[in-house]
Amino acid sequence: MIKILKYTFLDVFRSRWTITYFLFFLISAFSLLYLSTGIEKAIISLMNITLTIVPLISVIFGVMYYYNSRDFIELLLSQPIQRKSVFLGQMLGISSSLIVSYFFGLMIPFTLYGLFSSSDIWNFIILIICGILLTIIFVSLAYTISISNENKIKGFGINILVWLYFAVIYDGLVLLLFVSFNDYPLEKIAIIFTLLNPIDITRVMILLKLDISALMGFTGAVFNKFFGTLPGMFISFASMIAWIIICLVITFQIARRKDF
């Protein structure tokens, strides 16, 4: 698994698209820090970019790499290698290369702008951790869906729809539900719905960490009461880890039964 991870990491890391991914965050971070009056405002702006771009790129890289390496996967599976090791190595390799590009794309500009002497360093760390977890989750989702679909176009389309669902459609459906049943106490249900979407979990955690939950109104007060506490933060991170584990288990089960 380690050898497959190293090979996949180097293969993806040498790609011009990975370099473009790094340069995108590098230029975005420099631009936002230059235009913003402080590091905190730059982090808020980068949060919106991270919540949209990181899941999208992770899904696209995951599905493209899987379909482009189908022959290589079949060659590996013809050897005495466990299927779990092959797919886990590839998913970790893709995730690692994207994480390195994302990390250094943000770390270099913020370091030059005095991050380590700023009180916002912990907010930046939360942003980085959330970006890392989102990368692993959506690469895992991409592999789960791609292995289930032989057709490349169908697999790519479903992956984009899944990203669109979590990034846009999910919030619209939840908002419609809350508006329809606004006469009922929905505080606990709102928390449950948030935990069912990794992008929403990330958004709420960063907003609360930046102490701007007041901008979210009554919902922000409810979230602050739950997510703003130490147990709430622990449950949030645990739910993100649970997303990763569930995707990996489903992927391994599908791969074990699939005839390559």
Side-chain angles (χ1 to χ4, degrees):
M1 186 195 74
I2 299 299
K3 290 182 179 180
I4 296 172
L5 190 157
K6 290 181 179 179
Y7 171 81
T8 305
F9 173 82
L10 294 175
D11 188 31
V12 176
F13 196 71
R14 288 194 298 262
S15 169
R16 65 179 182 273
W17 296 110
T18 307
I19 299 174
T20 304
Y21 187 63
F22 162 74
L23 291 176
F24 171 80
F25 279 105
L26 185 73
I27 296 172
S28 298
F30 269 124
S31 301
L32 291 171
L33 286 168
Y34 177 76
L35 297 173
S36 301
T37 56
I39 291 179
E40 182 178 5
K41 292 184 178 180
I43 292 175
I44 295 173
S45 300
L46 280 170
M47 176 198 72
N48 296 319
I49 297 175
T50 297
L51 295 179
T52 304
I53 299 300
V54 169
L56 176 62
I57 298 301
S58 299
V59 163
I60 292 175
F61 262 86
V63 65
M64 289 179 61
Y65 193 85
Y66 170 77
Y67 285 120
N68 289 336
S69 62
R70 275 293 302 270
D71 294 338
F72 178 63
I73 291 174
E74 292 176 359
L75 177 64
L76 290 175
L77 294 178
S78 65
Q79 308 299 318
I81 305 175
Q82 291 185 351
R83 295 190 174 194
K84 180 171 65 176
S85 299
V86 173
F87 292 109
L88 184 59
Q90 283 200 337
M91 284 187 284
L92 290 178
I94 297 171
S95 301
S96 300
S97 62
L98 294 177
I99 288 169
V100 169
S101 299
Y102 171 75
F103 177 80
F104 285 103
L106 295 184
M107 179 60 72
I108 293 173
F110 276 87
T111 301
L112 295 177
Y113 271 80
L115 173 67
F116 293 100
S117 59
S118 171
S119 59
D120 294 312
I121 184 171
W122 294 111
N123 299 332
F124 179 78
I125 291 174
I126 292 293
L127 177 68
I128 291 293
I129 292 175
C130 290
I132 291 172
L133 292 174
L134 284 176
T135 300
I136 300 173
I137 289 172
F138 280 89
V139 168
S140 302
L141 276 173
Y143 258 70
T144 302
I145 297 169
S146 300
I147 292 176
S148 304
N149 295 275
E150 293 285 344
N151 189 290
K152 294 182 180 180
I153 298 177
K154 182 179 178 181
F156 190 85
I158 294 175
N159 274 289
I160 295 298
L161 285 176
V162 167
W163 166 79
L164 190 64
Y165 170 77
F166 283 116
V168 180
I169 299 174
Y170 185 88
D171 289 335
L173 294 176
V174 172
L175 180 61
L176 180 63
L177 177 66
F178 289 165
V179 171
S180 302
F181 298 94
N182 60 351
D183 295 330
Y184 298 91
L186 299 174
E187 294 85 358
K188 294 182 179 179
I189 296 178
I191 293 173
I192 293 173
F193 276 119
T194 300
L195 294 175
L196 293 177
N197 187 344
I199 296 179
D200 277 353
I201 298 173
T202 304
R203 181 184 294 112
V204 171
M205 287 172 59
I206 296 175
L207 288 176
L208 294 178
K209 189 64 180 168
L210 291 170
D211 294 329
I212 56 176
S213 58
L215 298 177
M216 302 165 64
F218 174 72
T219 306
V222 175
F223 287 161
N224 192 29
K225 184 178 179 181
F226 178 77
F227 292 102
T229 61
L230 185 60
M233 292 291 288
F234 176 78
I235 292 174
S236 302
F237 280 113
S239 63
M240 298 283 279
I241 299 299
W243 268 99
I244 297 173
I245 294 174
I246 291 171
C247 291
L248 289 178
V249 170
I250 294 175
T251 301
F252 295 154
Q253 290 296 322
I254 296 173
R256 185 171 59 85
R257 296 192 301 266
K258 188 175 180 63
D259 183 20
F260 288 94

